[in-house]
Amino acid sequence: MREETAGETDPLDPMEEREEKERGIMGQEQQDESKSEGQPASMNTQNSMTEKEENFVEVCAEMEEKGKEKGMEEGEMKKEMELEAEVTVELSQTVSAQQMSFIRGSDLFGYVGIEAVLDQMRRKTMKAGFEFNIMVVGQSGLGKSTLVNTLFKSKVSRKSCTPNYEEKISKTVKLHSVSHMIEEKGVKMKLTVIDTPGFGDQINNENCWEPIVKYVNEQYEKYLREELHVNRKRRIPDSRVHCCIYFLPATGHRLRPIDIEFMKRLGKIVSIVPVIAKADTLTIEERQEFKERIRQDLAANGIQVYPQNEYDEDPEEHILNNRIRESIPFAVVGTDKEHQVNGNKVLGRKTKWGIIEVENVAHCEFANLRDLLIRSHLQDLKDVTHNIHYETYRVQRLNESNMNFSELGLSTWPLENGTADKCESESHL
Amino acid sequence: MREETAGETDPLDPMEEREEKERGIMGQEQQDESKSEGQPASMNTQNSMTEKEENFVEVCAEMEEKGKEKGMEEGEMKKEMELEAEVTVELSQTVSAQQMSFIRGSDLFGYVGIEAVLDQMRRKTMKAGFEFNIMVVGQSGLGKSTLVNTLFKSKVSRKSCTPNYEEKISKTVKLHSVSHMIEEKGVKMKLTVIDTPGFGDQINNENCWEPIVKYVNEQYEKYLREELHVNRKRRIPDSRVHCCIYFLPATGHRLRPIDIEFMKRLGKIVSIVPVIAKADTLTIEERQEFKERIRQDLAANGIQVYPQNEYDEDPEEHILNNRIRESIPFAVVGTDKEHQVNGNKVLGRKTKWGIIEVENVAHCEFANLRDLLIRSHLQDLKDVTHNIHYETYRVQRLNESNMNFSELGLSTWPLENGTADKCESESHL
């Protein structure tokens, strides 16, 4: 952390400056120091890197700032200093800068091509494709299948969505998944839609969330077992639920007990995106008031829906996500019918009093939902599932099973008295 | 696998066609079938998806082919069929196509925005940065530090690389790592260069590879422990050696025993890229003959260098990598001096008889090496390290420690008699 603190030093404060000079000198001695502490130098550096890793973005931002303040002058000095082996105390400001050694494009004596890695990743993703698993929950008749079909512009849902489609409402909550491979502009997505027929359709809906909680956890369990397997697959098949769209009926009232009970439980294990279904029944005022009341109820019941406040990764993302949080739940309308509006074909629902254009943000918030789920946050939904929900499940499971790896065979490996002491590390971050 | 086989069916073969029809009908019954077998349907599908996952690329290629042959006609039929719930036997060809349900951009009734995931990944990579760890091995005086500095167009190597730089040759092989943050066009790379001073510099170089083998394994061990840790970091710090550049002196003879012994051992645990150092001492003929002899020696001793034949992921990559394999080891020259050639500044080494332009492919193969390490294969070096070398280490370690997870606490979880039987799955892949 030494270098980061140095980066924050105010050059006008003489106390700070002296401290920094000392640090600068200490920095030069770093190798011997760590040796005398009897700790392998490499381990030492490893730890400090880890701390840095976590503050990576902030540090970069800081450095950026610093760089702007000092401009080219520092760069010149640094270059000069690197050529000379001798470093005088007068240059301590530069010494600490060298310790960080953030080499910018302008400091390089030519083009390296680091950004090529982005294209390499892009090609690999396009070749391999990716998985996305979406669950829809809500009582029957709220247009779950139609909405998913509208989202992915194809019949990806199990049901035929035609009015003459008839099915008896099942007496228990069932889970049903359908997978499709969708390719658009060379990008292949294996989409799995998990439907939950029977949810909320019973006279007594007690514990109707249980099969759903179980399903979600089962997918984490499968992934965990695959991950812990000795001979594991190169790419672990991902059946984990990346997103659960919860359909609220457009009652215009408040959240019902079943909504609260479901989201309270599921919100802890999966990313929930609540939507107001068939929102064409609400007037503009009703919609605004209903949304506001739902947000109040969510907050009052401590229900976390996606994008969760606590998982925002940086201030930029926080601002962006706040805007989304202020407008959830999205009031949506789904359709698979096209109509002519001013000579253009638009997806819409034709009524005697006008056409509701589904993708027109002035008419409903379907486009906002689609943007969130697909165009702006799809990867983030996958990341939150992997980094937060799956990780939480994993910690809980491993604690349950009392699996303490350091007590198992792994401690027998001679990492402690290996060659680590022969390796000297320097970190210029 | 049923669908894939169907995809390969020759429509002109009546036997095959009948078989396919039967399959088409069977496909409709899939749910009940799996139920009657007493197996949870979701598990069943999981397994078949897994198999598919592995053949993902091939299947996609096959489907692409099939799609081209049939053109739009099939697409139209499919659409029609999906709207109707009734499927007749005459349409069996289309039925099997629906089972795969590979939905292409032209099949969608509008733009979805799946490719936006590429930009989402790009932004995330740019925000987070990435790690790249490169090791240089070879006796002193072969220009290891200069080459690394030339590769990354900055002083990233520990040594000052000035002629007046003096250091006693160490009596043992030491390992020394330096880390820098390099930013170019908004992409941040944490580069760690691991130097191995003392290697091959002793009177008796027996076992001089041991500290290096140990270091490489230690990094895998650190990663493994981090991965197995219950409360693990969101991003595991990656100190694993992604690439080991092995410097061969430009003797013009053959591989020396020390080269063979080192690469034999290290080639099994890390991606080795051998280079001919200070290649400006070789004539054109000498260079070609030396390279050819080295390739023979590598093959004769069963030494695998990067890119390893067996890890090519598809035919396209195989062809590309073959071209690289035919031209290794690259004969390189390093420098950090710029010279004027025809009014342009070029990196080069000026001699009385001319300037060797380091980045000119007509003069030496530095540019080929740089392209391989940075511009075309950087991500692949990281992937091979993670998917092959680390995975090999992990399997070995877990087998050593007799850690059988299914015998541990994890088996106590009621996956077997859970709600899995309530979940019906359909796969349209």
Side-chain angles (χ1 to χ4, degrees):
Chain A
M1 298 301 284
R2 186 184 292 155
E3 295 80 8
E4 285 161 37
T5 322
E8 287 167 355
T9 305
D10 181 357
L12 297 175
D13 184 337
M15 261 297 277
E16 285 279 342
E17 199 175 12
R18 200 178 60 234
E19 228 180 279
E20 197 187 341
K21 274 177 196 166
E22 278 165 22
R23 276 194 219 104
I25 295 157
M26 279 165 69
Q28 300 291 312
E29 309 283 339
Q30 201 173 345
Q31 294 169 25
D32 300 319
E33 226 181 289
S34 56
K35 262 188 216 158
S36 66
E37 279 165 26
Q39 256 202 324
S42 69
M43 298 274 295
N44 220 16
T45 310
Q46 187 58 32
N47 291 343
S48 70
M49 277 181 200
T50 304
E51 283 176 8
K52 267 164 212 148
E53 203 56 39
E54 287 164 8
N55 292 307
F56 195 29
V57 176
E58 292 102 292
V59 179
C60 295
E62 249 170 51
M63 285 169 178
E64 201 91 51
E65 279 298 300
K66 222 175 127 95
K68 277 176 198 156
E69 281 165 34
K70 296 204 195 164
M72 280 309 292
E73 206 181 335
E74 184 207 36
E76 293 301 318
M77 276 169 82
K78 204 198 298 181
K79 260 185 199 161
E80 208 176 320
M81 195 217 55
E82 280 174 341
L83 286 167
E84 302 291 329
E86 303 257 282
V87 179
T88 60
V89 179
E90 285 77 54
L91 280 170
S92 67
Q93 183 73 33
T94 319
V95 171
S96 70
Q98 189 215 10
Q99 281 180 297
M100 292 183 211
S101 192
F102 195 102
I103 305 170
R104 270 177 225 92
S106 55
D107 299 333
L108 302 170
F109 56 89
Y111 175 68
V112 179
I114 294 168
E115 33 131 31
V117 79
L118 296 176
D119 276 327
Q120 293 168 33
M121 285 173 162
R122 187 187 175 93
R123 259 200 311 277
K124 288 204 171 221
T125 306
M126 289 190 69
K127 220 176 234 179
F130 67 96
E131 291 151 314
F132 189 52
N133 309 317
I134 199 163
M135 181 184 256
V136 287
V137 182
Q139 63 194 58
S140 64
L142 288 181
K144 297 189 292 294
S145 301
T146 305
L147 188 85
V148 172
N149 291 345
T150 316
L151 275 173
F152 297 101
K153 303 276 162 59
S154 44
K155 301 270 177 201
V156 289
S157 186
R158 184 182 57 114
K159 292 192 189 172
S160 77
C161 296
T162 49
N164 57 357
Y165 178 83
E166 272 173 61
E167 189 188 30
K168 273 186 196 156
I169 286 176
S170 64
K171 294 220 173 86
T172 54
V173 178
K174 284 184 178 170
L175 283 120
H176 190 284
S177 73
V178 197
S179 295
H180 290 263
M181 190 75 74
I182 305 184
E183 181 174 340
E184 194 181 42
K185 302 201 175 184
V187 185
K188 288 179 281 287
M189 170 171 77
K190 194 184 110 188
L191 174 73
T192 300
V193 180
I194 305 117
D195 197 1
T196 55
F199 177 88
D201 293 335
Q202 315 304 319
I203 294 172
N204 179 349
N205 285 302
E206 257 171 39
N207 301 329
C208 67
W209 45 80
E210 275 184 3
I212 299 171
V213 170
K214 245 180 181 167
Y215 179 87
V216 170
N217 281 331
E218 273 169 12
Q219 312 318 308
Y220 293 140
E221 182 71 17
K222 275 183 202 166
Y223 196 93
L224 179 60
R225 280 164 186 261
E226 213 35 83
E227 190 189 287
L228 290 174
H229 209 270
V230 173
N231 291 90
R232 58 187 177 184
K233 296 186 186 71
R234 197 179 288 196
R235 246 182 84 179
I236 301 177
D238 190 1
S239 63
R240 297 170 299 182
V241 179
H242 299 125
C243 174
C244 170
I245 310 182
Y246 186 73
F247 287 72
L248 298 161
T251 59
H253 303 156
R254 312 194 71 102
L255 287 183
R256 303 163 304 164
I258 192 176
D259 303 328
I260 293 170
E261 290 306 314
F262 177 83
M263 287 195 277
K264 244 187 185 172
R265 283 167 176 83
L266 266 289
K268 290 193 184 102
I269 59 168
V270 77
S271 290
I272 297 183
V273 175
V275 297
I276 300 169
K278 298 194 168 177
D280 37 354
T281 61
L282 299 171
T283 66
I284 301 162
E285 294 78 33
E286 283 169 349
R287 190 208 279 184
Q288 276 318 310
E289 282 168 25
F290 188 34
K291 285 179 68 166
E292 182 53 41
R293 270 197 296 272
I294 292 170
R295 283 194 293 270
Q296 283 168 8
D297 285 353
L298 288 173
N301 289 284
I303 297 168
Q304 283 260 12
V305 297
Y306 183 83
Q308 300 91 336
N309 219 318
E310 53 185 314
Y311 309 147
D312 292 344
E313 280 186 356
D314 55 59
E316 189 198 339
E317 198 174 287
H318 187 68
I319 294 166
L320 198 82
N321 286 349
N322 271 343
R323 225 172 293 154
I324 294 164
R325 283 186 279 264
E326 281 160 18
S327 59
I328 52 159
F330 295 127
V332 296
V333 173
T335 189
D336 46 14
K337 297 266 184 312
E338 282 186 337
H339 296 282
Q340 291 278 338
V341 174
N342 301 328
N344 296 317
K345 272 192 180 174
V346 295
L347 281 174
R349 292 178 62 80
K350 194 173 185 175
T351 66
K352 295 233 170 175
W353 51 93
I355 292 174
I356 307 158
E357 296 168 30
V358 165
E359 294 182 290
N360 185 339
V361 283
H363 289 199
C364 84
E365 297 171 326
F366 170 82
N368 305 60
L369 177 70
R370 178 205 55 206
D371 287 355
L372 179 71
L373 295 181
I374 305 171
R375 300 190 191 170
S376 68
H377 283 62
L378 194 153
Q379 187 57 40
D380 193 63
L381 280 162
K382 293 191 64 172
D383 287 351
V384 167
T385 303
H386 184 76
N387 295 327
I388 313 283
H389 300 308
Y390 169 64
E391 217 41 48
T392 306
Y393 178 85
R394 182 179 167 278
V395 168
Q396 190 193 314
R397 280 289 289 137
L398 296 187
N399 280 332
E400 267 171 35
S401 354
N402 287 315
M403 285 224 275
N404 191 335
F405 293 94
S406 58
E407 282 171 18
L408 283 167
L410 274 188
S411 60
T412 58
W413 203 77
L415 188 70
E416 287 71 36
N417 46 15
T419 54
D421 52 339
K422 282 191 193 148
C423 173
E424 297 162 356
S425 285
E426 254 174 64
S427 177
H428 290 265
L429 300 180
Chain B
M1 296 300 284
R2 183 186 293 156
E3 296 80 7
E4 287 162 36
T5 323
E8 285 168 355
T9 305
D10 181 358
L12 299 174
D13 185 338
M15 262 295 278
E16 286 279 341
E17 198 173 12
R18 201 179 57 235
E19 227 180 280
E20 195 185 343
K21 274 177 198 166
E22 279 165 21
R23 274 194 219 106
I25 296 156
M26 279 165 69
Q28 300 291 312
E29 309 283 338
Q30 201 171 344
Q31 294 169 27
D32 299 317
E33 225 182 290
S34 55
K35 263 188 217 155
S36 66
E37 280 165 26
Q39 254 201 327
S42 70
M43 297 275 296
N44 220 15
T45 309
Q46 187 57 33
N47 291 344
S48 70
M49 278 182 197
T50 304
E51 284 176 9
K52 267 165 211 150
E53 202 56 39
E54 287 164 8
N55 292 308
F56 195 32
V57 176
E58 291 102 293
V59 179
C60 295
E62 247 170 53
M63 286 170 177
E64 201 91 51
E65 279 298 302
K66 220 174 129 90
K68 276 177 199 155
E69 280 165 35
K70 296 201 192 165
M72 282 308 294
E73 205 181 336
E74 184 207 36
E76 294 301 318
M77 276 168 82
K78 205 198 300 180
K79 258 184 202 163
E80 208 176 319
M81 195 218 57
E82 280 172 341
L83 287 167
E84 303 291 328
E86 304 256 284
V87 180
T88 59
V89 179
E90 283 77 54
L91 281 168
S92 68
Q93 182 74 34
T94 317
V95 170
S96 71
Q98 191 216 9
Q99 280 180 297
M100 291 183 212
S101 192
F102 194 103
I103 305 170
R104 272 178 224 92
S106 55
D107 299 334
L108 302 170
F109 58 88
Y111 174 68
V112 179
I114 294 168
E115 33 130 30
V117 79
L118 297 176
D119 275 327
Q120 293 169 31
M121 283 175 164
R122 187 187 174 92
R123 260 200 310 278
K124 288 205 171 221
T125 306
M126 288 191 70
K127 221 176 234 181
F130 68 96
E131 291 151 314
F132 189 53
N133 308 318
I134 198 165
M135 183 185 254
V136 287
V137 181
Q139 64 193 59
S140 65
L142 288 182
K144 297 188 291 296
S145 301
T146 304
L147 187 86
V148 172
N149 290 345
T150 316
L151 275 172
F152 296 101
K153 302 279 163 60
S154 45
K155 301 270 176 198
V156 289
S157 184
R158 184 181 57 114
K159 292 193 188 173
S160 77
C161 296
T162 49
N164 58 358
Y165 179 84
E166 272 174 60
E167 187 187 31
K168 273 185 196 158
I169 285 175
S170 64
K171 294 220 172 87
T172 53
V173 178
K174 285 181 179 173
L175 282 120
H176 189 283
S177 73
V178 198
S179 294
H180 290 262
M181 190 75 75
I182 305 184
E183 180 175 341
E184 194 180 41
K185 301 199 176 184
V187 185
K188 289 179 279 286
M189 171 171 77
K190 194 184 108 184
L191 174 72
T192 300
V193 180
I194 304 118
D195 196 2
T196 55
F199 178 89
D201 293 333
Q202 316 302 320
I203 293 171
N204 179 347
N205 286 302
E206 257 170 40
N207 301 329
C208 68
W209 45 81
E210 276 185 2
I212 299 170
V213 170
K214 244 179 182 168
Y215 179 86
V216 169
N217 282 331
E218 273 168 12
Q219 311 318 308
Y220 294 140
E221 182 72 16
K222 273 183 202 167
Y223 196 93
L224 179 59
R225 279 164 186 259
E226 213 37 81
E227 191 190 287
L228 290 174
H229 209 270
V230 173
N231 291 90
R232 58 187 177 183
K233 294 185 187 74
R234 195 178 290 196
R235 246 183 84 179
I236 301 178
D238 189 1
S239 63
R240 296 170 300 182
V241 179
H242 299 125
C243 173
C244 171
I245 310 182
Y246 186 72
F247 287 73
L248 298 162
T251 58
H253 303 156
R254 311 194 72 100
L255 287 183
R256 303 163 305 165
I258 192 175
D259 303 328
I260 293 169
E261 290 305 314
F262 177 84
M263 287 195 278
K264 245 188 184 171
R265 283 168 176 83
L266 265 290
K268 290 193 184 100
I269 58 168
V270 77
S271 290
I272 296 183
V273 175
V275 296
I276 300 169
K278 296 193 167 176
D280 37 354
T281 60
L282 299 171
T283 65
I284 301 162
E285 294 79 31
E286 283 169 348
R287 192 209 277 184
Q288 277 318 311
E289 283 169 23
F290 189 35
K291 286 179 67 164
E292 183 53 40
R293 269 197 296 272
I294 291 170
R295 282 195 293 271
Q296 284 168 8
D297 285 354
L298 288 173
N301 289 284
I303 297 169
Q304 282 261 12
V305 296
Y306 183 83
Q308 300 91 336
N309 220 318
E310 52 184 315
Y311 309 148
D312 292 343
E313 281 186 354
D314 55 59
E316 189 199 337
E317 198 173 286
H318 187 68
I319 294 167
L320 197 82
N321 286 349
N322 270 345
R323 225 172 292 153
I324 294 165
R325 282 186 280 266
E326 281 160 17
S327 60
I328 53 157
F330 294 127
V332 295
V333 173
T335 189
D336 46 14
K337 297 264 186 314
E338 282 186 333
H339 296 281
Q340 291 279 340
V341 174
N342 301 329
N344 296 318
K345 272 190 179 175
V346 295
L347 281 174
R349 293 178 61 82
K350 192 173 186 176
T351 66
K352 294 234 169 175
W353 52 93
I355 292 174
I356 307 156
E357 296 168 32
V358 166
E359 295 182 289
N360 184 338
V361 283
H363 288 200
C364 84
E365 296 169 326
F366 170 82
N368 306 58
L369 178 69
R370 180 205 55 205
D371 287 355
L372 178 71
L373 295 181
I374 306 171
R375 299 189 191 172
S376 69
H377 282 64
L378 193 152
Q379 188 57 39
D380 192 64
L381 279 162
K382 293 189 64 170
D383 287 351
V384 167
T385 303
H386 184 76
N387 295 328
I388 313 284
H389 299 309
Y390 169 64
E391 217 43 45
T392 306
Y393 178 84
R394 182 180 167 278
V395 169
Q396 190 192 315
R397 280 290 289 139
L398 296 187
N399 281 333
E400 266 172 32
S401 353
N402 287 314
M403 287 224 274
N404 192 335
F405 293 94
S406 58
E407 283 171 17
L408 283 167
L410 275 187
S411 60
T412 58
W413 203 77
L415 189 67
E416 286 71 35
N417 46 15
T419 54
D421 51 339
K422 284 191 191 146
C423 174
E424 296 164 356
S425 284
E426 255 177 61
S427 177
H428 290 264
L429 299 182

